[in-house]
Each structure stands twice: as structure tokens, then as C-alpha cells.
């Protein structure tokens, strides 16, 4: 054990003081750089990097406080959303976009691919928890709504609707339930990289009707 | 019914032919309703309004300020504990332990390396504020504000002391954890601090089973060994340690002077009480000087070998990144070395991207892990070298002091000090105690000065 | 910290009561927590097992209901099972949530009890006898150094364990042979459809001109090919390659050139075959493996009717695979592969001109990476491209309906084009005597001067011959051009100006293209009969040898050997 050539208490104090200023300076630089980056990127409430951001609508790269969301065009409805969420009842639920829906009598998100009969029997439904409600509107249109308290986010209806229907059913993170974890466990497990960070003031990526 | 099935089957068959997995094709035209039906809206519940995040920041500042006051001025363990419980409830159970200052390291690092990510302001503050307070007041953040520390503090029932050599060895883990967290955050692979946070499952009251079990283990260990995560794993603690060494004001066991009564030796559950150090004979001094010289020479060697090891691990560490895993899987499938496909490789193929692009991306990421590995490994080597040197250097000490780096400012040691008792009595009765009477308060222990 | 028995007496009577109640609270809380924990864990395990079982049963039953429609009992069972599943699911969620809160509450109570107890019980600090501080500190330091060293060893060991894993290389070029064969090497082998330059001319004149299938004389070996295909054999040194396919498999075969053993079989297309067992239907006459494979002496490349391209090294290891998508081609995709330096050239003609689907693709041979693509305003075709060296530069010449287009094979830039073809173009182009010969089936054979640029339709067509085969590609020995129609009419013209020299009715049907060996012509009929003939000044038949098997593929020529693929077998003719 060697003795340090003891600087006198004054010198030691001076050193400590110097280091303190250095530390505060470094923290200031880090903070400034991190903050400046954000400020530089968001001006007048619009993303400057407009090549990526369509009117701050849909994209991964935006710099406001962020929440997690699913890009419905990348989602392959693998079923991980139901199992990987840290919450027992996943914060991801299926949503229905009514203008896109075809209101089909034989809904491919509601019925199994080859249903036994066109009624609401359990043997005919895709949804394992019966969360889709089918209501008659007028001939031949039926309205399909999702009861969020029953939906578990498994994506079976999404797969059916995307493959054979209009794709009006898709999975979205529900922000009244989502904890907004720093690292979303579902995002880490998503096979198609459909989880993106979106600005908190535009927290949903809903499909829109493609105008003919 | 069979006709019906035939129709369904035909329709389905036709649609299979048209399907090719597109997510956006409108196959059925939007209906035109005659009954005056109006399309409902899709509900879009909003996330927590941003103002609440700022309120959290204000609470953080107040808690930090209060903690510093209670530790340095008021010196009341009971008050510190009360604040600890409040922080546990607020930052832990109410805010679900997220975003915490520890995890914020990763966000800052990511923002420096990912051009497409910038740190939200509140997260930045959560990272900076405790550091700033530490520069002035020592680890008062650890004392009563950090929810992870709070939950460990609350379950500490019967502390057993960890021998100092074990403590020194285990503490290296925290440095490795910090280095790894920075490496994975910088390459955009994962936030491992968040993924393996043992206590967050309790705050959320749900979570991944493995992490939950890890948390239970930590808490059980934490009942008998004080704050194991804080002392041996916390990456933020690594930074706090260094800043606390140079803090302007620091925690002292005694409010004024140390009378070397030795009563505080067993007071710290975290092993942060430093005992006075004596003079030692010249023989020892010579030997240790040689040793120190050797260790200083060893330092760059350790850094180099550490960096080299880190570089050598790049293919394994790169696997943490999802793109690399995907590229490897696609390559194995393409060369027929593995049967079948996974969701991820199917999803990749359906995007129609060239595999060579994927492989290029993965190779680039591997290269980044190579460079990052040098830095990470070098850092670990540096830390090990410095630790060896630090353990071999002795500074003369006459009083019982709280180790500036390790002291978590919990205030448990205050009660053990007779001078503290005196201060409290003085504060409450404002009597003058003579030096004689203060001597009477000493326990006869037979030496030790 | 041992307890000094004296000190317990320091707790006063009233405090003792509090202490006792604190301890009892702690114990009760602990027991309660444990019970809840056990309940939660057991419920979790049990329900996950049962729910998994139920889910599987539901799936099975839903499948069964397809087979037994109208079975009321089964319906009832399904509905009841489904109800149980759903109820259980939500009941579990509820239980977990409530259990978690209860557990939290009881743990808190336990902790309050413990903490209360320990704060009430004041312990006196005990002091160990003051050890020799110095030795203690020296020892501490020594052990700390040892501990850190142990830490280094542990970390190092851990790093070693992690690092010893096989690295999955993507394209480490050290492992891949990225060299290209020299023109000399290429000319010595038969590396693609119709030979090294796609002209059907053998470099070797010592090939056999007689053999007998019945006695086996002149037949070196005969091996059965596992799956049939229309493609022709490809030969490189001591290897012969073929491909074959059926609705379930797309395979590449490698035979030993001298003894005919099937060395290895490579398989492609398993990745893109869709899971619902839907076969990608192809016209039976064309089959799945109509395009001939190609090789550069380092790897073998194959493309199939489903649009899948694969590459294997000569030991059978798959190097890469690519799915170009099912071509829209009514008769089935049949364009053979061509190569230029390190590029694999694929003529991907599809649909009608207005569909704008046709494209010419060049892939990097060792990686499969797309190097260049050129969209072609043409319809489907069944010709194969050739790469010819004309006036010191290379031209990639392609025929389709309606355009003949020549590209620079290195980067896909268009050199010239001629709008002169139509209908279903199947015969491939050739280059001979400074002219490019292309065929518009049943209409004209055209000779185009390849030294133009841009649209040369009006300016560079040297002459037209009003005889055109519909399947067989032409062949030329430089002075004479030979055209063979499917129904057996062989015509010979002067390449210089297109004057007809002679014609011969062969009396058989032909699908394979004629070949030139030295000064002789080799024609292989559908029945498997090889006609060998001298061509000057008239057709003079030298040999007519039956193989005994139907043949649609063109033969391949090597040093002293001919390789013929019949419907079922691959023959090696030689001595």
C-alpha cells in the first residue's frame, strides 16, 4: 500500500473544486447537446426532416415526447402482442375503422375460413374471446364492433380481415392502458418491426380510406 | 347449407388467389346505406397528458432537495425513511417505476448515436437532476428518491456485512453492466437496464415471469444484504459514485468531530464506514510502492486486452440486435442449413427487400459492435486496473468517515454516534454539555485509538 | 450483530407489548403472503396447462365439425368448451390482478411488522476487540486484489465461452470464390444452353459418330435422372449438371462426367412454396425445369418455372437463393440462363407488351445481389439470350415479341434494338459471320447487322429469309446457316446473303436444337434418333443412331463425349 503524496487539504479541496466544475460542465454539455438535437429537429411543430415524416403523420422518426404504436401496414398479426405485454391484459387491442370496413355478411375477420354456418356460434367465430359483436344494419350489411374489455389482442381477426377482407381490423396500442415503457417488451419481440415511436400528440396510426 | 358452403369455398378460393398477403387492398367496396346509418368513430383514448410528466419532474426536484436537507442538515433517519416510503409510492407504484433515472442513461446514449431519436425533455431532466444534486450533496438521490433503492431499503430486515474484498470484487459487475448498457443502447439493440430491471415487475404488479423471479430473488437477498442492486449492479450508481467523490458537501457520521469511540463500526448495512488508517512500517511501504508501480504498468495492458476481448465478442454481442438475428436466420434458411421459416423471416421476405441489403445492414451492425466492443472492453479493463490501483493506495485517515463513493446517505449511522445524540439533546433542551460528560458517554472498549 | 441479553431489559413494559404485536403482525403477514403467493403460482401453472389443453381441443373440434356437419352434440360441446375457455381466461386475469394487490398489501403489513419490531428492539452496538488495524488493512487490500483478479478470470472465462460460437457468415468474400473463368476455360466446357457462346457449336471434333444402344457399344454410362425437365445438360470439366422439377420439388443434379454417378442433389424453392399446399401450376409440356442451368466453374446456377433462382457450389452447398416471383407466362417460363463475367443473366419476359412486366435482370453470381435491371417493352418469350463478342465489345442479344434488343452485359445499357418479331418467339438468336440471326416463328428469319445503335429496324436488317422454325434455334458453321422446323424440314442458307443452298425433309419431329461439330451437323429428333450429316455441297447423312428414348433437350458436347438427356435418363456417349 503506497501512501499517496498527500496534497495539503487546500490543494485537495482545489482539485475537488476543479473536478466539480468539470463535472457540471460535462453534464451541461450533455444536456445541452441532447436538448439542442430535439430543438433542432422540431421547428414550428413540424419535423424538419420531412423526407421521412409525412406532415408528422406516420413515422418512426419524430422528436416530440413519444409513445409506442403499431404500424398496421407492417403488422403481420403474429399474436405476440397478446403474450409479450408486461401487463396481464395486453394494452394492444384490435380496432375497427368503419369507413374502410365492407360490412360484409360473411366477415372474414369474424368468421372462420370455412364456417359451419353463418351464425354467431362459437364454432364459427375466429375470435377466441367473442369480442366482436355482429349487428344487422340493413340487407346485406352487418356492422362489426369490438368490445375492448373482451379483446386480448391476439390478432386472429386481423389476419383474416387483411388476407381476405378490407383490412379494417388491425391492432393498435391503447394509450389508456399502455404504460409507455422505455423499452416496450412487445416491440422487442415483434417479428416485422411494426412497433414505432410516435409523437404523443398523434398517438395512433389508423388506416385511412384510399380514395378511388 | 351445402350450396352455401360451396359458395363460401369458391369465394374463399378466388380470394386466396388474389390475396398475396397485402394489408391495404380494399376488396369490398364501401357500402352505401339507405337506412340513414351513420358510421361510428374509432375511439382514440389519449395517453397521459404531458403536463403530468412535468409535475413528476417538479416532485423529483422537491424530493431531491428535501432528501439533501434531511441528510445533511436535519440528519434524521426517521424523516429520511418517511421520504423513502413516499418516493417508493410515488415514483415506484404510482409511476410504475418508468421512466427512471437509471434507464435514462440509455435514452441519452441512444440520442447521441441514433440520428432519428431525440430524448424527451423530462427524461433528460430525470437523468441530469440527480447527478447535479450529487455533485453538491452526495448520493442523496440514492438515499430517499430512487424507487429501486427505496424498495430494497424497505425490505432490509437483518443486514449482514459483506467482507470488503467480496464487495470490491462484486462492484465490478456494476461497471460491466454500465458498459454493456451503453454499448447496447448506442447500437440501438436493446435497453438492457429496462429489460432486466428486477423491481419494475413489482411496481407494475405484473410482468415477465423470469424478471419477476429475478426480482423476488433480489428482494429476498435484499432482506439480509443491504441494497444488493444498488451496490453491485446499478449502472447509474457507477456515475453517482464518481460524482459523489467530489461533492461539495458530504455525509458525515458525526455532526461535528469524531471521538473515535468505534460505535459506528457496525452501523452501516452497506459497508460504507471507513475506519481510521495508521502509519505503517517502511518495509511495507517499499513493497507496496513496487506493487503500485507494477499495477500502473499493468493498466494499459489490461485496457488493451479488455478491448481486444470486447472486439472478439462482436458476433455474439451483435446478436442482441434484431436485424442481425434476422439476417442470420435468413442466411441459414437460404443456404438450407435450417428447416422451415420463422414469422420474422416470412415478414422479411414479404417486404421484397433484397437479402444482400439485409446482410449489408447486419455486417455494418457487427462492425459497430466491433468498435463498441473495443471501447467497452477497454473500459472494463480500465476499471479493473484502476480498482487494483485504488485498493493498493492508502490515504491516512484519523476519523471514522462515510466512504464518499459508497455512502448511500441513508442516515442509519447517525443514531450510533454519541456526538449526534448530544446534538439532538442540545437541539431539544439546549443545554451545554461539557467535554467531561461527553467522555462519560464512551463505552470502555480497551483501545482502538 | 449479536444480541446482548442485558439489553432486552431496556425495553420497557409498554414497549414490550408493542413489540409483541409488531412481531405477531409480521408473522401473520408473512404467512398470509406466502399463502397468497402459493395460490397465485399454482393458479398460474394450473390454468396455463388447462387453457392450453382447451385451446388445442377447440382447434381439433373445429376441424372435426367440418367433417361432420350437422352434428348437434359436437356443436354443443364446442360451444360449452369455448364458454369455459373464455370464462376461465377472464377469471384468471381477475384473480391475478386481485391476488397481486392482496399480496402487495400483505407484504406491506409484514414489512411494517418487521420494521416496527426492529425499531422497537434497540440493540446495543457490540464492539469486536480491536484487531491489529494494520494487518487487517493489509489483508483486506490483498484479498481485494485477489478478488478482483478472480473477477478478471471469471470475466475472461465468460468472454471465452461466449466467443466460441460458429459465426454465421453472410458474404465473407474469403470463403467465396469471386474469380471469373477465363474465355479460354469457358470455351473448353459446355457451361450453358447450346454451349459456351450459346451458338450450338462444339469445340471438340473428336466426338463419337456412332454408338449402339442395344449392345451398349459407345455408351459410357446411362443414369436415371430423379425428376424430369426440359433442360439440357451442362458440362464443366468432370461434372455434368441438370435440373428437374415437379409440383413439390425443384432440384439441381450433379453427375460425375466420367462414370455417371449422381454426386449430389440440391433443392430450392422450399422457402417460397406457400404453406397452404397450393401448387403453382405450370403447363405440363413445359414443366417446372425448362430453363437450362449455367455455370462459371465455381458455382452452378438454376432457375425454375416458379421464378426461383438458386446457386450451389460444386460440392452441393447452397450459396444463395432468390425468388423473383411467379412469372406471368402462359406456356411456362423457359428462358435459359446466361453468364457474363461475374453476372448471372436472366431474361424474365412476362405477359403482354402493355403489361410492362418484362425485365432483364443481372445478379451478382456469388451473392445473388441484383446488379442491374432493365425493363423491356416486350411480351413473354421462350428464347435464351446470348453474349457475343462483336468488334471488341460484348453484346447481350435478346429476342422477344416484338423487339430484338442488344444490351451491354456489364451494366444493362441498351445498345440497339430492332422491331421485327412477333407472335410466340421460342428460337434463340445466334451470331455468325458478323450477323445476328433471329427468328419470327412461321414468318421470317432475319439477319441483323449488330454495329448499329438505337433503333435499327429500318437500317440494319441485312436480309430476310421467308422460312422460320417455331421451336428449334438456328445453328451456323460460319458460311452456312441451318434452320430446322419442328416437323422436320431442314434448310440451309448462305450466311453472306441468305441464298438458299439446299433443303431436306428429315421425316421426324424435332424439339431439340441442331448442333455443329466440325464440318458435320448433329440433329436429335424427338424419338431420340441422332442424325449426323455432312453439309457440303448437299445434305449427306453419315449416321442415324437411335437412342431408344424420347429426347427434347439439346445435347452437350465435351472432349470425346456427347451428353444426351432423354425423358428419363442422362446418357454419356463416348469411348
Amino acid at each position: 500500500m503506497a501512501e499517496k503524496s498527500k496534497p495539503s487539504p487546500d490543494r485537495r479541496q482545489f482539485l475537488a473544486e476543479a473536478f466539480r466544475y468539470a463535472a457540471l460542465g460535462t453534464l451541461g454539455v450533455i444536456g445541452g447537446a441532447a436538448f439542442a438535437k430535439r430543438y433542432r429537429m422540431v421547428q414550428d411543430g413540424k419535423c424538419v426532416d420531412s423526407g421521412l415524416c409525412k406532415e408528422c403523420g406516420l413515422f418512426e422518426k419524430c422528436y416530440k415526447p413519444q409513445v409506442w404504436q403499431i404500424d398496421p401496414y407492417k403488422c403481420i398479426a403474429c399474436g405476440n402482442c397478446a403474450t409479450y405485454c408486461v401487463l396481464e391484459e395486453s394494452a394492444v387491442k384490435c380496432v375497427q375503422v368503419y369507413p374502410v370496413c365492407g360490412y360484409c355478411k360473411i366477415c372474414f375477420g369474424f368468421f372462420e375460413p370455412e364456417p359451419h354456418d353463418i351464425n354467431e356460434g362459437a364454432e364459427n367465430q375466429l375470435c377466441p374471446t367473442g369480442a366482436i359483436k355482429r349487428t344487422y344494419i340493413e340487407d346485406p350489411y352487418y356492422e362489426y364492433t369490438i368490445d375492448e374489455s373482451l379483446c386480448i389482442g391476439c390478432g386472429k381477426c386481423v389476419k383474416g380481415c387483411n388476407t381476405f377482407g378490407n383490412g379494417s381490423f388491425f391492432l393498435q396500442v391503447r394509450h389508456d392502458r399502455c404504460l409507455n415503457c422505455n423499452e416496450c417488451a412487445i416491440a422487442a419481440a415483434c417479428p416485422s418491426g411494426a412497433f414505432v415511436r410516435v409523437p404523443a400528440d398523434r398517438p395512433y396510426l389508423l388506416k385511412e380510406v384510399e380514395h378511388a | 347449407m351445402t350450396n352455401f358452403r360451396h359458395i363460401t369455398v369458391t369465394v374463399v378460393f378466388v380470394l386466396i388467389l388474389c390475396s398475396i398477403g397485402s394489408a391495404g387492398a380494399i376488396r369490398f367496396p364501401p357500402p352505401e346505406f339507405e337506412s340513414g346509418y351513420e358510421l361510428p368513430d374509432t375511439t382514440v383514448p389519449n395517453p397521459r397528458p404531458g403536463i403530468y410528466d412535468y409535475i413528476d419532474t417538479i416532485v423529483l426536484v422537491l424530493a431531491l432537495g428535501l432528501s439533501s436537507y434531511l441528510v445533511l442538515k436535519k440528519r434524521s433517519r426517521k424523516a429520511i425513511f418517511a421520504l423513502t416510503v413516499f418516493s417508493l409510492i410515488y415514483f415506484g407504484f404510482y409511476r410504475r417505476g418508468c421512466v427512471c433515472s437509471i434507464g435514462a442513461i440509455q435514452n441519452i446514449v441512444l440520442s447521441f448515436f441514433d440520428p432519428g431519436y431525440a430524448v424527451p425533455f423530462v427524461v433528460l431532466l430525470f437523468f441530469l437532476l440527480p447527478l447535479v444534486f450529487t455533485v453538491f450533496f452526495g448520493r442523496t438521490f440514492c438515499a430517499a428518491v430512487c424507487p429501486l433503492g427505496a424498495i430494497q431499503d424497505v425490505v432490509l430486515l437483518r443486514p449482514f456485512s459483506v467482507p470488503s474484498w467480496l464487495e470490491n470484487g462484486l462492484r465490478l459487475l456494476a461497471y460491466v453492466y454500465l458498459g454493456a448498457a451503453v454499448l447496447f443502447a448506442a447500437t440501438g439493440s436493446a435497453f438492457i437496464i429496462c429489460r432486466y430491471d428486477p423491481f419494475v415487475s413489482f411496481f407494475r404488479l405484473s410482468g415477465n415471469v423470469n424478471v419477476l423471479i429475478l426480482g423476488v430473488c433480489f428482494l429476498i437477498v435484499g432482506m439480509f444484504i443491504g441494497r444488493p442492486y444498488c451496490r453491485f449492479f446499478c449502472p447509474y450508481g457507477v456515475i453517482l459514485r464518481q460524482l459523489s467523490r467530489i461533492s461539495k458537501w458530504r455525509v458525515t457520521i458525526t455532526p461535528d468531530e469524531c471521538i473515535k469511540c468505534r460505535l459506528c463500526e457496525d452501523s452501516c448495512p452497506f459497508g460504507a464506514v471507513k475506519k481510521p488508517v495508521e502509519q505503517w512500517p517502511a518495509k511495507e511501504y517499499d513493497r507496496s510502492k513496487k506493487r503500485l508501480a507494477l499495477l500502473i504498468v499493468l493498466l494499459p495492458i489490461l485496457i488493451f486486452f479488455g478491448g481486444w476481448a470486447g472486439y472478439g465478442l462482436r458476433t455474439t454481442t451483435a446478436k442482441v440486435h434484431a436485424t442481425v438475428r434476422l439476417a442470420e436466420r435468413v442466411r441459414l434458411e437460404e443456404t438450407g442449413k435450417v428447416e422451415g421459416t420463422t414469422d420474422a423471416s416470412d415478414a422479411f421476405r414479404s417486404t421484397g427487400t433484397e437479402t444482400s441489403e439485409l446482410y449489408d445492414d447486419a455486417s455494418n451492425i457487427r462492425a459497430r459492435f466491433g468498435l463498441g466492443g473495443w471501447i467497452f472492453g477497454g473500459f472494463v479493463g480500465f476499471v479493473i486496473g484502476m480498482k487494483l490501483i485504488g485498493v493498493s493506495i492508502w490515504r491516512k485517515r484519523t476519523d471514522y468517515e462515510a466512504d464518499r463513493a459508497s455512502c448511500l446517505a441513508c442516515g442509519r449511522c447517525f443514531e450510533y454516534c454519541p456526538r449526534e445524540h448530544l446534538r439532538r439533546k442540545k437541539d431539544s433542551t439546549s443545554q451545554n454539555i461539557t467535554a467531561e460528560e461527553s467522555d462519560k458517554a464512551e463505552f470502555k472498549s480497551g483501545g482502538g485509538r | 450483530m449479536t444480541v446482548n441479553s442485558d439489553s432486552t431489559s431496556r425495553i420497557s413494559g409498554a414497549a414490550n407489548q408493542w413489540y409483541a404485536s409488531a412481531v405477531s403482525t409480521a408473522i401473520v403477514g408473512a404467512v398470509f403472503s406466502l399463502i397468497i403467493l402459493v395460490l397465485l403460482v399454482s393458479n398460474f401453472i394450473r390454468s396455463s396447462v388447462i387453457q392450453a389443453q382447451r385451446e388445442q381441443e377447440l382447434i381439433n373440434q373445429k376441424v372435426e365439425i367440418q367433417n361432420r356437419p350437422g352434428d348437434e352434440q359436437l356443436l354443443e360441446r364446442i360451444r360449452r368448451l369455448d364458454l369455459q375457455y373464455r370464462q376461465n381466461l377472464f377469471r384468471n386475469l381477475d384473480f391475478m390482478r386481485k391476488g397481486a394487490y392482496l399480496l402487495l398489501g400483505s407484504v406491506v403489513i409484514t414489512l411494517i411488522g418487521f420494521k416496527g419490531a426492529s425499531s422497537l428492539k434497540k440493540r446495543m452496538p457490540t464492539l469486536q476487540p480491536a484487531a491489529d488495524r494494520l494487518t487487517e488493512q493489509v489483508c483486506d487490500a490483498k484479498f481485494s486484489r485477489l478478488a478482483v483478479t478472480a473477477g478478471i478470470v471469471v470475466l475472461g472465462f465468460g468472454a471465452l465461452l461466449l466467443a466460441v460460437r460458429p459465426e454465421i457468415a453472410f458474404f465473407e468474400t474469403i470463403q467465396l470464390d469471386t474469380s471469373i473463368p477465363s474465355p479460354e476455360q469457358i470455351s473448353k466446357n459446355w457451361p450453358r444452353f447450346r454451349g459456351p457462346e450459346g451458338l450450338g457449336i462444339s469445340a471438340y471434333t473428336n466426338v463419337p459418330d456412332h454408338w449402339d444402344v442395344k449392345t451398349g457399344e459407345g455408351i459410357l454410362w446411362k443414369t436415371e435422372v430423379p425428376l424430369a425437365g426440359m433442360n439440357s445438360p451442362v458440362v464443366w470439366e468432370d461434372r455434368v449438371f441438370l435440373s428437374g422439377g415437379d409440383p413439390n420439388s425443384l432440384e439441381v443434379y450433379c453427375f460425375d462426367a466420367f462414370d455417371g454417378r449422381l454426386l449430389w442433389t440440391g433443392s430450392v424453392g422450399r422457402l417460397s412454396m406457400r404453406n397452404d399446399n397450393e401448387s403453382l401450376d405450370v403447363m405440363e409440356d413445359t414443366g417446372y425445369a425448362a430453363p437450362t442451368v449455367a455455370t462459371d466453374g465455381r458455382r452452378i446456377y438454376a432457375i425454375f418455372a416458379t421464378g426461383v433462382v438458386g446457386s450451389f457450389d460444386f460440392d452441393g452447398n447452397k450459396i444463395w437463393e432468390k425468388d423473383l416471383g411467379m412469372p406471368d407466362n402462359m406456356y411456362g417460363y423457359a428462358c435459359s440462363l446466361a453468364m457474363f463475367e461475374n453476372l448471372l443473366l436472366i431474361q424474365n419476359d412476362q405477359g403482354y407488351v402493355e403489361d410492362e412486366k418484362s425485365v432483364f435482370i443481372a445478379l451478382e453470381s456469388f451473392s445473388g445481389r441484383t446488379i442491374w435491371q432493365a425493363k423491356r417493352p416486350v411480351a413473354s418469350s421462350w428464347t435464351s439470350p446470348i453474349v457475343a463478342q462483336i468488334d471488341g465489345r460484348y453484346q447481350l442479344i435478346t429476342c422477344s415479341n416484338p423487339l430484338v434488343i442488344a444490351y451491354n452485359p456489364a451494366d444493362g445499357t441498351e445498345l440497339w434494338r430492332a422491331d421485327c418479331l412477333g407472335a410466340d418467339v421460342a428460337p434463340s438468336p445466334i451470331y455468325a459471320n458478323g450477323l445476328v440471326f433471329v427468328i419470327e416463328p412461321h414468318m421470317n428469319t432475319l439477319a441483323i447487322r449488330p454495329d448499329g445503335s438505337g433503333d435499327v429496324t429500318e437500317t440494319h436488317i441485312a436480309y430476310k429469309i421467308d422460312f422460320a422454325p417455331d421451336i428449334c434455334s438456328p445453328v451456323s458453321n460460319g458460311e452456312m446457316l441451318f434452320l430446322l422446323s419442328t416437323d422436320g424440314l431442314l434448310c440451309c442458307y448462305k450466311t453472306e446473303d441468305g441464298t438458299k443452298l439446299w433443303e431436306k425433309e428429315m421425316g421426324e419431329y424435332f424439339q431439340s436444337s441442331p448442333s455443329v461439330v466440325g464440318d458435320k451437323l448433329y440433329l436429335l429428333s424427338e424419338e431420340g434418333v441422332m442424325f449426323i450429316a455432312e453439309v457440303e455441297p448437299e445434305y449427306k447423312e453419315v449416321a442415324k443412331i437411335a437412342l431408344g428414348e424420347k429426347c427434347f433437350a439439346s445435347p452437350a458436347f465435351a472432349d470425346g463425349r456427347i451428353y444426351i438427356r432423354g425423358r428419363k435418363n442422362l446418357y454419356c456417349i463416348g469411348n
Side-chain angles (χ1 to χ4, degrees), chain B residues 107-360:
Chain B
N107 298 59
I108 306 279
V109 168
L110 182 65
S111 80
F112 286 142
F113 289 92
D114 184 350
Y117 177 78
V119 181
F121 193 37
V122 168
V123 174
L124 182 62
L125 287 176
F126 263 74
F127 174 72
L128 288 177
L129 288 170
L131 295 177
V132 170
F133 271 82
T134 306
V135 169
F136 289 103
F137 304 115
R139 291 175 79 167
T140 52
F141 169 72
C142 298
V145 182
C146 177
L148 282 78
I151 197 173
Q152 293 169 85
D153 213 80
V154 153
V155 302
L156 179 58
L157 301 176
R158 182 80 163 78
F160 287 96
S161 59
V162 177
S164 68
W165 56 267
L166 187 60
E167 175 118 20
N168 279 322
L170 286 177
R171 196 175 303 131
L172 293 177
L173 286 171
Y175 289 87
V176 175
Y177 199 18
L178 175 67
V182 168
L183 175 67
F184 290 123
T187 51
S189 327
F191 281 178
I192 59 170
I193 300 176
C194 297
R195 211 177 269 193
Y196 300 112
D197 182 348
F199 309 110
V200 75
S201 338
F202 300 115
F203 298 145
R204 293 176 185 146
L205 293 174
S206 72
N208 181 300
V209 174
N210 298 329
V211 176
L212 201 67
I213 294 176
L214 183 70
V216 169
C217 292
F218 262 96
L219 284 185
I220 292 178
V221 169
M223 286 191 223
F224 306 106
I225 296 184
R227 297 216 194 184
Y229 185 82
C230 299
R231 286 152 82 191
F232 308 130
F233 294 93
C234 182
Y236 197 57
V238 165
I239 308 175
L240 291 174
R241 288 177 66 84
Q242 318 312 323
L243 292 178
S244 184
R245 280 188 226 261
I246 54 172
S247 70
K248 189 151 178 147
W249 294 282
R250 59 184 59 99
V251 175
T252 52
I253 304 176
T254 167
D256 35 48
E257 50 151 351
C258 176
I259 56 175
K260 289 138 221 18
C261 65
R262 298 183 56 218
L263 288 171
C264 59
E265 273 183 6
D266 278 342
S267 61
C268 182
F270 315 124
V273 168
K274 291 277 246 283
K275 303 183 189 162
V277 170
E278 315 213 320
Q279 291 282 19
W280 47 92
K283 184 180 74 167
E284 203 62 57
Y285 184 71
D286 281 332
R287 192 155 45 132
S288 58
K289 228 184 172 159
K290 283 201 201 90
R291 190 188 294 122
L292 187 65
L294 180 71
L295 289 174
I296 290 178
V297 166
L298 195 62
L299 182 64
I301 300 176
L302 281 171
I303 296 176
F304 175 77
F305 276 105
W308 186 64
Y311 172 75
L313 282 175
R314 68 190 181 292
T315 32
T316 315
T317 46
K319 278 201 230 277
V320 178
H321 198 292
T323 305
V324 171
R325 281 200 305 272
L326 177 65
E328 292 186 350
R329 175 76 202 184
V330 169
R331 182 72 187 141
L332 284 176
E333 288 173 6
E334 198 185 30
T335 52
K337 294 208 178 77
V338 87
E339 287 288 318
T341 60
T342 57
D343 278 336
S345 61
D346 281 337
F348 169 71
R349 265 184 276 272
S350 70
T351 63
T353 325
E354 291 256 351
T355 49
S356 49
E357 244 183 77
L358 178 67
Y359 297 151
D360 281 339

Side-chain angles (χ1 to χ4, degrees), chain A residues 6 9 21 61 63 72 80-81 108 116 123 149 158-159 204 209:
Chain A
K6 282 182 291 182
Y21 281 125
K61 302 193 178 184
Y63 311 107
N80 281 355
C81 286
F108 295 100
H116 180 256
E123 70 281 2
S149 63
V158 175
K159 211 168 202 159
Y204 288 93
V209 190

Side-chain angles (χ1 to χ4, degrees), chain C residues 7 39 48 51 55 68 91 117 131 159 167 175 179 232 291 310 324 368 399 464 503 555:
Chain C
S7 58
L39 276 178
S48 39
Q51 287 288 78
E55 232 185 302
R68 297 195 275 158
R91 214 178 282 148
E167 175 176 318
Q175 297 177 337
S179 64
S232 307
L324 301 175
C399 282
K464 290 191 194 179
E503 72 173 43

Side-chain angles (χ1 to χ4, degrees), chain A residues 68-195:
Chain A
W68 293 100
Q69 194 48 269
I70 300 174
D71 180 353
Y73 295 100
K74 286 198 184 150
C75 172
I76 59 168
C78 65
N80 281 355
C81 286
T83 43
Y84 278 84
C85 185
V86 290
L87 296 174
E88 283 301 316
E89 191 184 334
S90 175
V92 172
K93 306 261 176 220
C94 183
V95 300
Q96 163 76 297
V97 172
Y98 297 92
V100 175
C101 180
Y103 285 79
C104 309
K105 183 168 184 184
I106 309 173
C107 171
F108 295 100
F110 184 83
F111 288 107
E112 290 267 1
E114 282 180 37
H116 180 256
D117 194 0
I118 305 302
N119 63 40
E120 288 158 38
E123 70 281 2
N124 304 318
Q125 287 196 39
L126 261 181
C127 180
T129 54
I132 310 180
K133 300 284 173 268
R134 181 176 188 255
T135 335
Y136 179 75
I137 306 288
E138 59 181 56
D139 192 60
Y141 299 125
Y142 285 77
E143 180 195 68
Y144 296 91
T145 52
I146 297 172
D147 182 349
E148 278 202 7
S149 63
L150 295 176
C151 177
I152 58 171
C154 68
K156 291 193 173 116
C157 61
V158 175
K159 211 168 202 159
C161 186
N162 273 342
T163 323
F164 304 123
N166 284 0
S168 65
F169 275 154
F170 52 93
L171 294 173
Q172 288 281 281
V173 174
R174 305 308 269 161
H175 288 292
D176 50 343
R177 296 166 188 269
C178 176
L179 300 180
N180 200 23
C181 303
N182 206 9
E183 182 185 65
C184 177
I186 317 177
C190 179
S192 58
F195 264 77

Side-chain angles (χ1 to χ4, degrees), chain C residues 326-353:
Chain C
M326 179 80 178
D328 173 10
N329 188 310
M330 60 182 148
Y331 297 132
Y333 184 74
C335 303
S336 294
L337 295 170
M339 291 204 73
F340 173 71
E341 289 180 356
N342 65 346
L343 295 174
L344 181 67
L345 304 170
I346 304 175
Q347 181 174 322
N348 203 353
D349 286 347
Q350 308 181 44
Y352 297 102
V353 180

Side-chain angles (χ1 to χ4, degrees), chain C residues 161-172:
Chain C
L161 275 179
L162 283 178
V164 178
R165 290 259 183 101
E167 175 176 318
I168 296 169
F170 302 133
F171 290 116
E172 316 296 10

Side-chain angles (χ1 to χ4, degrees), chain C residues 292-306:
Chain C
T292 300
V293 304
T295 180
D296 54 2
R298 290 106 179 92
R299 284 162 296 274
I300 179 80
Y301 310 92
I303 189 171
F304 295 85
T306 55

